[in-house]
Amino acid sequence: MPTPNKAASVAELTDAFQSSNAAVLTEYRGLTVAQLKTLRRALGENAQYAVVKNTLTKIAANQAGITALDDHFAGPTAVAFVTGDPVESAKALRDFAKENPNLIIKAGVLDGKALSADDIKKLADLESREVLLAKLAGALKGKQSQAASLFQALPSKLVRTVDALRAKQAEQGGAE
């Protein structure tokens, strides 16, 4: 029979899985408390990094409808619950893992879809949401400028053609 503390922990973890955009499982074996504190700071306000118990977290993930992570709940596990931009959090985890090889990214989930460690590294290589939106806006603005130039060119070309025809007719009329 589960104790009230364990039931509360499962409920809290289930809520964390449901309210986050993404969750990344990591192994933190060999990291000091100071290093974990540095990692939490690196993740910023976009993510909450929590050292968890495997059994309780597996139950909570299953209650949240996430079964893809079941095989990864082994060894010392911590979860980064991402509520902001998942790219920024993936970059923070990747960069921290480069400096601290004891942090191992196991797997994750993004909007209900399972991610492997390689997928998370690919996600970290993406540009941030703001940069991608700015590039999209720039591309759309460029296309609008091209369209405006094209629409402006058509009437002016028509006017030049009509003027050329008039000049040609005036020449032919004057030559007769």
Side-chain angles (χ1 to χ4, degrees):
M1 176 173 272
T3 64
N5 288 343
K6 288 182 181 179
S9 295
V10 169
E12 185 178 327
L13 288 168
T14 301
D15 184 48
F17 275 112
Q18 290 173 338
S19 64
S20 61
N21 303 344
V24 180
L25 295 180
T26 62
E27 182 176 320
Y28 64 94
R29 185 186 331 247
L31 293 176
T32 65
V33 172
Q35 289 171 322
L36 289 175
K37 188 175 180 180
T38 303
L39 174 58
R40 285 186 176 102
R41 262 194 311 254
L43 288 171
E45 296 179 13
N46 289 334
Q48 178 187 14
Y49 191 74
V51 174
V52 295
K53 292 188 178 281
N54 289 327
T55 306
L56 299 179
T57 309
K58 184 176 178 180
I59 292 168
N62 288 333
Q63 286 180 1
I66 301 168
T67 58
L69 301 176
D70 287 354
D71 297 338
H72 300 284
F73 291 112
T77 303
V79 183
F81 294 105
V82 181
T83 54
D85 186 6
V87 174
E88 289 180 25
S89 298
K91 284 182 185 188
L93 286 168
R94 177 199 59 194
D95 294 345
F96 187 85
K98 282 182 184 176
E99 295 174 16
N100 301 283
N102 288 337
L103 180 75
I104 299 169
I105 298 172
K106 295 181 179 182
V109 63
L110 174 64
D111 293 330
K113 293 186 172 69
L115 298 174
S116 68
D118 289 335
D119 293 336
I120 294 168
K121 289 175 184 167
K122 288 177 187 174
L123 182 66
D125 292 336
L126 289 176
E127 294 174 330
S128 71
R129 183 176 189 270
E130 289 78 20
V131 171
L132 291 174
L133 287 174
K135 284 184 175 183
L136 177 64
L140 290 176
K141 182 180 178 187
K143 293 298 178 189
Q144 288 175 343
S145 296
Q146 287 175 347
S149 298
L150 177 66
F151 293 139
Q152 187 178 9
L154 290 175
S156 64
K157 188 173 183 180
L158 176 65
V159 168
R160 286 192 306 267
T161 305
V162 169
D163 285 344
L165 283 173
R166 283 186 191 150
K168 190 173 183 180
Q169 285 178 349
E171 258 180 41
Q172 288 176 353
E176 290 181 24

